[in-house]
Amino acid sequence: SSWLVSANRAVAPPPPPQRRIMPVKWVLYWQPNQGSTVSTQILNEAAQCAESINGVKEGRWKATLNYYKPMLRDQSNHPDLPRDFLGISLADQPSKYYFIIRSQRIVVEADATIQLIMEKLQSYKSKVSLYFDGFQYQLGDFRLRVGRVVPVHSESIRGIVMEVEYLPISSMEKARKVMEEFVEIWHEALSKRSLSGKFVNSELNFGEFGLADTYTPQHTGVQYAIVMAHMIATVQPVVRG
């Protein structure tokens, strides 16, 4: 039995599971020029642009987003409840679901099954559902996703988003300069196509949401919340007109 004890001592305990490093990601949105509309042509041009700078197409990319509102007759009786919040499922985190309450600067990660629980509870209802549909490209150390934003059960395009990931780094501050340089190259390549608008990156203070410099999926959720607010503000008047 003594050899068994010494053998057991020799076996090191398994290392704790390593949390996968998340590459830094910027989420940009297409801002049309005054009086211009958003169309699939812009998406096609952006896809061609990605290929023109040696982007290798890796396949399709999808994500879904919901705006939730409380199922209350009188909101004034419950002033502490958020008037609305956003839920999003991300293509690179299929088992998770993210809630963002912009008014209270809160972002929460939940299991994807939370959506079924919410449907049964009926305390909040999804008022608007949007899906993102496009393509993913690899450009050296960068990954690029470009897709259209479309309401569920509709083909009317509401906007275009672009994700830029820098794969080797998970520090937002360390990645900033190289991300800025890549976006500049992208803008230069796209400008040759004479499109009426541009991709815009929103400057965010992630610290307000309690998020640190190391990138997480929660950072992506917050970016989508801000991007959608900008997109609805810039695109809706044109669509209504």
Side-chain angles (χ1 to χ4, degrees):
S1 62
S2 59
W3 67 267
L4 187 59
V5 171
S6 58
N8 281 341
R9 282 187 192 139
V11 176
Q18 289 282 314
R19 189 174 175 84
R20 191 167 64 88
I21 291 175
M22 286 284 300
V24 169
K25 182 186 296 184
W26 284 5
V27 181
L28 297 87
Y29 66 97
W30 180 259
Q31 187 177 67
N33 292 344
Q34 193 69 36
S36 301
T37 56
V38 179
S39 69
T40 50
Q41 185 217 344
I42 297 156
L43 184 61
N44 294 337
E45 293 277 3
Q48 287 171 27
C49 185
E51 289 173 20
S52 75
I53 54 174
N54 300 323
V56 179
K57 190 186 280 188
E58 291 187 319
R60 294 196 76 82
W61 161 64
K62 289 180 186 290
T64 59
L65 183 145
N66 292 286
Y67 281 99
Y68 292 96
K69 285 191 176 290
M71 298 286 284
L72 298 170
R73 285 199 175 88
D74 187 1
Q75 173 90 32
S76 59
N77 291 337
H78 304 273
D80 53 328
L81 288 178
R83 292 171 64 86
D84 57 51
F85 61 86
L86 189 145
I88 183 164
S89 69
L90 303 170
D92 49 4
Q93 300 290 327
S95 65
K96 302 293 181 187
Y97 198 70
Y98 297 89
F99 294 107
I100 301 95
I101 306 171
R102 281 187 62 208
S103 59
Q104 297 174 20
R105 299 288 188 270
I106 293 170
V107 55
V108 178
E109 180 185 82
D111 194 89
T113 53
I114 191 72
Q115 295 170 85
L116 297 171
I117 296 166
M118 287 180 71
E119 275 179 36
K120 286 177 182 171
L121 289 175
Q122 289 288 299
S123 52
Y124 281 86
K125 189 163 181 64
S126 173
K127 294 292 184 184
V128 179
S129 295
L130 301 166
Y131 73 88
F132 302 81
D133 177 38
F135 293 98
Q136 179 171 299
Y137 298 88
Q138 184 96 16
L139 295 92
D141 285 337
F142 291 90
R143 181 175 289 129
L144 192 71
R145 299 183 181 99
V146 187
R148 59 184 187 145
V149 184
V150 182
V152 173
H153 310 307
S154 167
E155 282 299 308
S156 63
I157 188 165
R158 294 301 302 272
I160 291 167
V161 294
M162 181 172 81
E163 291 187 1
V164 179
E165 279 183 333
Y166 184 53
L167 303 173
I169 292 181
S170 60
S171 160
M172 299 215 50
E173 199 50 50
K174 286 178 184 171
R176 178 181 293 275
K177 189 165 172 29
V178 72
M179 292 285 272
E180 285 172 351
E181 287 171 359
F182 178 86
V183 169
E184 203 173 302
I185 291 165
W186 171 260
H187 282 151
E188 195 178 314
L190 201 61
S191 67
K192 295 170 184 169
R193 296 174 180 267
S194 307
L195 298 171
S196 56
K198 60 181 179 180
F199 280 103
V200 175
N201 181 35
S202 300
E203 278 292 321
L204 296 175
N205 181 359
F206 290 104
E208 288 182 356
F209 287 83
L211 300 175
D213 178 62
T214 302
Y215 199 84
T216 66
Q218 284 90 325
H219 287 76
T220 306
V222 169
Q223 287 190 80
Y224 269 103
I226 305 302
V227 158
M228 292 313 298
H230 281 301
M231 196 182 289
I232 285 166
T234 54
V235 175
Q236 243 178 350
V238 177
V239 172
R240 281 177 184 160

